[in-house]
Amino acid sequence: MFSLMDIDEWRLGYVERFAKRIISEHGLPAKYEVTTDRKRAIEDADYVIITILAHGVEAFRPEIEIPLKYGVDQCIGDTTGPGGIFRGLRTIPMILDICRDVEKYAPDAWVLNYTNPMSILCSAMNKATSVKNVGLCHSVQGGAAKLARWLNITFEEFDYLVAGINHQAWYLKLSSLKGAD
């Protein structure tokens, strides 16, 4: 059993439709609930996965434009540099609110943080709360998919071994399932 939670009912409905489709198409025995009540979603959870964008996409633009005005051209600006610091400052209060609810309603739960700036947010969680947390990113899988495309093979026939996680990953082995290095 898992809970899908969002403060925005429209987005929550979208995610629910997506979850229903995945469960149905793959014949999974999964059971879930949808809610806008964070306490209900967190209560007695084993894991709490955080994927938020504080203040929506409109808050992202200044994180790029302000540093650029002063000559700092950032690729994305959501992880490091001035943009990452801006995003961290606007996201930390929300992350800590969620963590306080985890401390109260699911003190043994692991928090899996998929929100950038991942390392800044995990550092804030570690300093201000007692939650067990891990910062995660899709860069390993995304990087592997990109490498497969560059090597002109499908992702399904691609095999790789990675050391590290997130933005600090090294591909130690790349090969096709047919054995080509």
Side-chain angles (χ1 to χ4, degrees):
M1 174 71 169
F2 63 93
S3 294
L4 298 170
M5 184 269 158
D6 199 311
I7 59 173
D8 183 300
E9 288 185 15
W10 183 87
R11 285 190 310 234
L12 184 57
Y14 178 81
V15 171
E16 180 183 17
R17 288 187 301 277
F18 189 65
K20 273 184 185 176
R21 181 176 169 195
I22 290 172
I23 290 166
S24 173
E25 287 183 10
H26 295 281
L28 302 172
K31 290 184 170 70
Y32 68 93
E33 67 174 351
V34 295
T35 183
T36 57
D37 181 348
R38 186 167 70 205
K39 175 189 176 227
R40 179 180 172 132
I42 291 174
E43 200 164 35
D44 299 322
D46 295 317
Y47 300 93
V48 175
I49 301 170
I50 302 175
T51 59
I52 64 171
L53 178 57
H55 309 290
V57 293
E58 58 279 352
F60 185 55
R61 175 176 243 140
E63 294 168 357
I64 301 296
E65 290 178 349
I66 292 171
L68 190 57
K69 178 179 173 183
Y70 295 96
V72 180
D73 191 357
Q74 304 171 107
C75 169
I76 297 173
D78 69 351
T79 304
T80 61
I85 292 169
F86 293 160
R87 182 170 284 198
L89 291 172
R90 72 179 164 88
T91 308
I92 286 171
M94 292 179 173
I95 290 286
L96 295 182
D97 281 346
I98 294 168
C99 288
R100 287 184 190 101
D101 282 349
V102 171
E103 288 175 320
K104 189 187 268 185
Y105 303 116
D108 295 324
W110 275 90
V111 170
L112 307 178
N113 175 44
Y114 269 96
T115 299
N116 279 327
M118 186 268 301
S119 59
I120 291 172
L121 298 178
C122 288
S123 180
M125 285 186 250
N126 289 332
K127 288 180 181 171
T129 76
S130 62
V131 299
K132 301 177 289 189
N133 67 85
V134 176
L136 298 169
C137 176
H138 62 276
S139 67
V140 170
Q141 305 92 311
K146 187 177 282 187
L147 287 167
R149 280 193 310 274
W150 289 346
L151 294 169
N152 230 9
I153 63 174
T154 67
F155 186 67
E156 292 74 26
E157 62 183 327
F158 189 51
D159 190 29
Y160 57 94
L161 176 66
V162 176
I165 193 166
N166 301 322
H167 300 267
Q168 297 296 315
W170 291 265
Y171 292 87
L172 304 176
K173 176 186 170 196
L174 301 173
S175 62
S176 74
L177 292 179
K178 297 174 185 170
D181 188 346

